[in-house]
Amino acid sequence: YSLSDDEEHLEAKNKYLDSLRANPRAADGRPNILLILFDDLGYGDLGAYGSKSIATPNIDALSAEGLLLENYYAPSPVCTSSRAAMLTGRYAPRANFNIVAFPEGAAVDLQMRATQTPATRLPAEEILLPEILKAAGYETGMVGKWHLGDQAPSRPQDRGFDSYLGAL
């Protein structure tokens, strides 16, 4: 089983990213962006949102200095499709990725491939937030669980991150 990418959409994606690269904006005045995604975290689990039972002083300090979002719902109840939706800005099924991805060769991965289960990675033509930021001149990095594909062209550094430390 192999996922093939849509060459026409991939070409359109690359033209879009090239247009961003052609019009770089000065780094001065641009905000730093720190996006944190937690699996299985509830609204009331952080001090910034009123939790008294879990101490989260560093995250509370970041929220005090930045933007505190108070009305966001996870687009999916599982990690892979929730990450896909957040990075693409689309519902996970629209990116053909409404499952949990497992590393290539893992028992569940082999079963999914044998049964032709759709998508074990994000299609290459999907435009991801880090690709847009990198094309706009930002330096990008990721730390943590990727869970969106462990083979090229689906690893974090294939998808717009300059640096990566974590579990594929």
Side-chain angles (χ1 to χ4, degrees), residues 80-81 83-84 87 97 101 120-122 146-150 154 168:
T80 299
S81 50
R83 281 172 172 72
L87 290 175
F97 212 47
T120 56
R121 65 174 177 85
L122 274 173
W146 174 244
H147 232 228
L148 296 171
D150 64 341
S154 300
L168 292 174

Side-chain angles (χ1 to χ4, degrees), residues 103-115:
E104 187 171 321
V108 175
D109 174 67
L110 294 173
Q111 178 184 9
M112 290 169 63
R113 290 172 190 274
T115 60

Side-chain angles (χ1 to χ4, degrees), residues 47-165:
Y49 292 97
S51 176
K52 303 290 185 219
S53 59
I54 303 171
T56 57
N58 294 324
I59 292 174
D60 298 346
L62 284 170
S63 68
E65 295 176 20
L67 178 65
L68 186 63
L69 302 176
E70 297 180 335
N71 192 14
Y72 179 81
Y73 296 92
S76 175
V78 294
C79 57
T80 299
S81 50
S82 191
R83 281 172 172 72
M86 181 193 62
L87 290 175
T88 63
R90 296 163 34 110
Y91 288 116
R94 292 186 141 214
N96 195 26
F97 212 47
N98 202 28
I99 55 129
V100 175
F102 291 88
E104 187 171 321
V108 175
D109 174 67
L110 294 173
Q111 178 184 9
M112 290 169 63
R113 290 172 190 274
T115 60
Q116 299 289 308
T117 300
T120 56
R121 65 174 177 85
L122 274 173
E125 68 269 12
E126 285 293 333
I127 301 172
L128 303 188
L129 179 60
E131 293 171 318
I132 293 170
L133 291 171
K134 185 173 180 176
Y138 275 88
E139 290 183 33
T140 58
M142 183 190 161
V143 176
K145 181 170 86 169
W146 174 244
H147 232 228
L148 296 171
D150 64 341
Q151 303 294 314
S154 300
R155 296 168 301 209
Q157 289 164 310
D158 301 326
R159 302 310 305 264
F161 287 106
D162 294 311
S163 62
Y164 171 70
L165 175 66

